[in-house]
Amino acid sequence: RYVNWLHNSAKGLLDTESGVYNLNGAVWNHSLGSGQQQWGFSRSSDASFWLPTINEWYKAAYFDPNKNGSGGYWLYPNGSNSAIGSTATSPNSTYPVGGYASSPFGTFDQAGNVFEIVEDSFWGSTPFRALGGSWNRDATYSESGYSSWNAGGDGSNEVGFRIATVPEPTHLTSVALAGLALILN
């Protein structure tokens, strides 16, 4: 609903039930138990904000297009196989927002503080999928090979979300593209 609100507010709308995701009043069904929820909604093709899929989240956190000259994945989302500078290395510790090194794609804080649910969590009959570790866990929970299956819906001080968007082109990029257009004409 928050992502719908962000998407719609840019258009002057206040609707939270449709926009990026058509929710139609969807609520978490606690009576079905873990592994039984059936959300089944998908992202609109004109989404301006969304929850990243597991693949989008994972690539933004761990992939480095320049690793070893041909691209590859790191163990931690700081462009390294070392947790140092990526996440708190012991449980019960937090770090200031933006305080850790960024991923090779420039994203911050994808390790530690809170596990982040991904869009894929809302399909089928699996519990929420969350990645990145949390303030209450050691660094192994933020490694690229780990994801948490969280029952979700009940609220937790270890689970949050990340919102994805495509950034507006910078002024310099716009000027360069305009210059290129003039040269081609």
Side-chain angles (χ1 to χ4, degrees):
R1 287 184 171 95
Y2 180 70
V3 175
N4 281 343
W5 177 79
L6 281 175
H7 174 84
N8 291 331
S9 65
K11 299 174 182 177
L13 305 172
L14 298 177
D15 184 19
T16 61
E17 292 300 304
S18 64
V20 177
Y21 304 105
N22 188 3
L23 303 178
N24 294 321
V27 295
W28 182 264
N29 189 341
H30 295 282
S31 66
L32 294 176
S34 181
Q36 299 300 311
Q37 59 274 16
Q38 294 288 327
W39 294 98
F41 48 81
S42 60
R43 182 190 314 167
S44 169
S45 62
D46 72 338
S48 48
F49 299 95
W50 62 90
L51 295 177
T53 65
I54 191 168
N55 290 333
E56 290 167 338
W57 193 100
Y58 196 85
K59 187 172 183 177
Y62 303 111
F63 186 74
D64 181 348
N66 301 313
K67 184 179 181 187
N68 300 326
S70 61
Y73 289 88
W74 294 102
L75 188 58
Y76 292 96
N78 63 347
S80 170
N81 288 327
S82 170
I84 304 301
S86 170
T87 186
T89 54
S90 62
N92 300 315
S93 57
T94 61
Y95 209 73
V97 172
Y100 292 121
S102 70
S103 76
F105 275 115
T107 61
F108 286 91
D109 305 322
Q110 284 190 263
N113 288 351
V114 294
F115 285 105
E116 297 176 5
I117 60 170
V118 291
E119 184 180 82
D120 309 66
S121 298
F122 302 107
W123 282 94
S125 59
T126 59
F128 285 104
R129 186 128 190 222
L131 301 105
S134 83
W135 65 273
N136 197 27
R137 311 296 171 112
D138 66 36
T140 59
Y141 288 85
S142 62
E143 291 178 358
S144 62
Y146 183 84
S147 67
S148 171
W149 294 96
N150 181 302
D154 292 327
S156 169
N157 61 8
E158 287 188 81
V159 179
F161 57 92
R162 176 174 297 266
I163 296 171
T165 190
V166 175
E168 292 291 326
T170 64
H171 178 68
L172 186 56
T173 303
S174 300
V175 170
L177 290 174
L180 181 59
L182 288 174
I183 292 170
L184 294 175
N185 287 330

